[in-house]
C-alpha cells in the first residue's frame, strides 16, 4: 500500500519509513524540512535500496496535501509532522498551536476530501502529565503541563470527535514513551538542533567528546537512585509498532489508542552506565537542580498494544545505547556534516 508519512524525514518518521518498506509498503514522505535534514533521503536509499519518494511542502498547505494524496493514491497516512520541544512550546505557544493543531486540521480536511480516512496519529506519554502512579495504562487521566503536550491532547480529542461525526474514520492513536537509539546501520538516528534537551543524545555527545559532562537534573527524586525514571523504547521497536498499527487498522477497521513503551523504567544513571558499558567511554556527570516540569517516574503498561496490535518492544537498554552510540560515532555532527 502507498502510505503517506507526514514529517517522514524526521527521527521517528525515517525509521518508520524503513520498517514500512521492509514490510512491502510504498512509503511517501511529505516534509518541509523545518526540523529535519534532506540528507536523510540518501541514507534511506542506502538502507532500503529503493528510490525514496519525497514531496517537499508544508502540512498546513491543504491543497498541496490533497494533491499528494491523490497523485500517489495514498491508502493511509501516518502523521508525524509536528514541533516537539517542550521548552520551545512554553516560549512560543502560538507557533505550536498553529503548526501542530492547524497542521492536523489541514491534513484531516485533505484526507476527508479525498476519502482517505485511515490514520495513525503520533501522540505522546506527555498527555498523562504527572501520572498518579506507574505503570500507566491508557485509561489514566490526561492532563497537560505545557503547550506541546496540550497540542497532543487536543489532537486526540479532535480525532475522537471526528470518529463520532463519521464512523468511516479508522484511527490508531499511538502514545510514545521515550524513543531513543538508532537504526543498527548507524546511517539514520536522532539529530537534535543545537544543545540536546533529551537525555540520550546528550549522553552520547558527552561520550563522543562533543560535550564535557552531563548535568543530571535532580538526584533527590523518590526513586531508588534519586534520578528520574523513564520508559525508554528503541526507535526501531517503535517503528515496528506503526507497521503493526497500520495492519490492524486495515484488517479490522477499528480505531484504538495504545501506549508504545517497554513497560520497564530506567533511571538517568542507568542510561549513563549502560552507555559507558557499550561505548567504553566515560560519561562524566554533575548533579544539578531538577528541571521544571519534570516528573519523578513515567513508564508504561504496554499490555493493550500487545493485545490489540500483537506487538511488543524487543530491544534492551543496552541495544538502545549501543545503537545510539554507533550513530553518534559515525555522525558526530548529525546530518549537518553531509
Ligand atoms: C529524561 C530524563 C530528565 C536531559 C521527553 C521529551 C518530550 C516528549 C516527552 C515526545 C529526565 C533527565 C535529561 C539532561 C537529565 N517527547 N535529563 N539531563 O523529560 O521524559 O521528555 O518525552 O513527545 O519532547 O523531552 O525526556 O530525555 O528530556 O529526560 O538529567 O541533560 O533525563 O530530568 O529525568 P522527558 P528527556
Amino acid at each position: 500500500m502507498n502510505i503517506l508519512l507526514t514529517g517522514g524525514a524526521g527521527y521517528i518518521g525515517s525509521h518508520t519509513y524503513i520498517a514500512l518498506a521492509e514490510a512491502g509498503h510504498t512509503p511517501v514522505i511529505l516534509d518541509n524540512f523545518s526540523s529535519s535534514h534532506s540528507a536523510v533521503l540518501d541514507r534511506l536509499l542506502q538502507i532500503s535500496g529503493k528510490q525514496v519518494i519525497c514531496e517537499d511542502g508544508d502540512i498546513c498547505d491543504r491543497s498541496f496535501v490533497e494533491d499528494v494524496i491523490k497523485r500517489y493514491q495514498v491508502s493511509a497516512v501516518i502523521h508525524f509532522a509536528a514541533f516537539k520541544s517542550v521548552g520551545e512550546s512554553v516560549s512560543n505557544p502560538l507557533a505550536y498551536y498553529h503548526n501542530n493543531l492547524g497542521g492536523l486540521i489541514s491534513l484531516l480536511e485533505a484526507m476527508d476530501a479525498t476519502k482517505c480516512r485511515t490514520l495513525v496519529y503520533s501522540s505522546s506519554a506527555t498527555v498523562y502529565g504527572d501520572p498518579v502512579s506507574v505503570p500507566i495504562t491508557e485509561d489514566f487521566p490526561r492532563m497537560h503541563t505545557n503547550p506541546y503536550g496540550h497540542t497532543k491532547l487536543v489532537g486526540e480529542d479532535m480525532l475522537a470527535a471526528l470518529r463520532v461525526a463519521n464512523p468511516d474514520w479508522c484511527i490508531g492513536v499511538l502514545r510514545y514513551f521515550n524513543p531513543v537509539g538508532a537504526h543498527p546501520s548507524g546511517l539514520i538516528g536522532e539529530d537534535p538542533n543545537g544543545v540536546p534537551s533529551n537525555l540520550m543524545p546528550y549522553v552520547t555527545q558527552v561520550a563522543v567528546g562533543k560535550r564535557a559532562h552531563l548535568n543530571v537534573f535532580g538526584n533527590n527524586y523518590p526513586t531508588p537512585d534519586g534520578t528520574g525514571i523513564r520508559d525508554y523504547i528503541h526507535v526501531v521497536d517503535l517503528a515496528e509498532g506503526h507497521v503493526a498499527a497500520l495492519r490492524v487498522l486495515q484488517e479490522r477497521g477499528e480505531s484504538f489508542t495504545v501506549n508504545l513503551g517497554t513497560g520497564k523504567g530506567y533511571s538517568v544513571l542507568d542510561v549513563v552506565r549502560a552507555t559507558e558499558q557499550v561505548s567504553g567511554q566515560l560519561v562524566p556527570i554533575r548533579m544539578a537542580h531538577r528541571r521544571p516540569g519534570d516528573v519523578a517516574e513515567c513508564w508504561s503498561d504496554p499490555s493493550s498494544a500487545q493485545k490489540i496490535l500483537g506487538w511488543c518492544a524487543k530491544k534492551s537498554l543496552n541495544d538502545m545505547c549501543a545503537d545510539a552510540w554507533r550513530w553518534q560515532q559515525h555522525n558526530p555532527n548529525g546530518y549537518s556534516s553531509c
Side-chain angles (χ1 to χ4, degrees):
M1 292 186 296
N2 291 358
I3 311 295
L4 181 66
L5 302 186
T6 71
Y11 173 42
I12 298 167
S14 55
H15 287 81
T16 303
Y17 177 97
I18 295 298
L20 285 167
E22 287 172 352
H25 293 292
T26 302
V28 176
I29 290 174
L30 185 157
D31 207 306
N32 66 2
F33 297 100
S34 61
S35 46
S36 53
H37 208 291
S38 56
V40 75
L41 302 177
D42 183 53
R43 301 293 179 90
L44 292 175
L45 170 61
Q46 287 181 58
I47 297 171
S48 66
K50 294 177 192 159
Q51 206 48 48
V52 176
I53 306 170
C54 178
E55 292 284 341
D56 183 345
D58 198 315
I59 188 76
C60 291
D61 179 350
R62 176 188 151 175
S63 57
F64 166 70
V65 178
E66 215 172 295
D67 172 57
V68 170
I69 292 174
K70 284 178 191 161
R71 254 186 305 124
Y72 294 98
Q73 297 176 320
V74 167
S75 307
V77 178
I78 304 182
H79 180 45
F80 295 107
F83 295 154
K84 71 144 200 146
S85 163
V86 170
E88 191 183 61
S89 78
V90 173
S91 53
N92 193 356
L94 287 185
Y96 272 68
Y97 289 118
H98 175 78
N99 186 63
N100 292 6
L101 293 179
L104 177 59
I105 291 167
S106 163
L107 171 68
L108 294 172
E109 288 175 336
M111 290 178 70
D112 208 30
T114 53
K115 295 185 172 45
C116 171
R117 297 190 180 109
T118 300
L119 172 73
V120 176
Y121 175 67
S122 165
S123 189
S124 164
T126 315
V127 302
Y128 297 114
D130 189 353
V132 288
S133 63
V134 281
I136 299 168
T137 53
E138 288 81 357
D139 59 349
F140 266 36
R142 296 178 307 148
M143 62 195 87
H144 66 278
T145 54
N146 56 71
Y148 161 75
H150 195 199
T151 67
K152 288 299 178 182
L153 194 151
V154 171
E156 290 192 4
D157 290 346
M158 283 161 53
L159 295 174
L162 193 55
R163 284 204 309 272
V164 169
N166 181 353
D168 289 351
W169 281 90
C170 256
I171 299 170
V173 173
L174 306 182
R175 290 175 180 161
Y176 306 161
F177 278 70
N178 286 61
V180 295
H183 188 268
S185 65
L187 288 169
I188 55 175
E190 190 171 5
D191 183 19
N193 291 326
V195 179
S197 61
N198 293 142
L199 178 67
M200 185 65 86
Y202 204 107
V203 167
T204 56
Q205 287 189 12
V206 172
V208 84
K210 193 170 176 175
R211 301 197 187 276
H213 64 271
L214 169 78
N215 291 307
V216 177
F217 298 147
N219 67 339
N220 60 354
Y221 282 104
T223 60
D225 67 15
T227 65
I229 291 177
R230 297 291 185 275
D231 184 334
Y232 298 101
I233 175 171
H234 196 297
V235 66
V236 169
D237 277 333
L238 192 71
E240 292 300 338
H242 288 73
V243 176
L246 203 55
R247 184 180 61 249
V248 169
L249 288 172
Q250 295 286 335
E251 286 171 358
R252 292 189 214 144
E254 292 158 12
S255 298
F256 52 79
T257 296
V258 291
N259 291 335
L260 290 191
T262 64
K264 297 188 199 75
Y266 290 106
S267 75
V268 175
L269 298 184
D270 290 332
V271 173
V272 169
R273 267 191 292 273
T275 303
E276 289 182 326
Q277 195 183 2
V278 300
S279 68
Q281 308 295 317
L282 266 183
V283 176
I285 61 173
R286 280 207 195 137
M287 293 307 169
H289 293 297
R290 292 182 180 189
R291 181 171 63 175
D294 272 358
V295 299
E297 289 192 77
C298 178
W299 41 280
S300 70
D301 173 341
S303 52
S304 284
Q306 191 141 8
K307 199 160 56 222
I308 297 171
L309 306 183
W311 166 93
C312 68
K314 297 185 175 62
K315 292 178 181 283
S316 67
L317 180 65
N318 273 22
D319 295 332
M320 297 176 210
C321 296
D323 291 337
W325 169 241
R326 186 179 308 107
W327 154 255
Q328 184 70 71
Q329 259 192 316
H330 295 170
N331 306 272
N333 297 311
Y335 294 110
S336 52
S337 47
C338 299

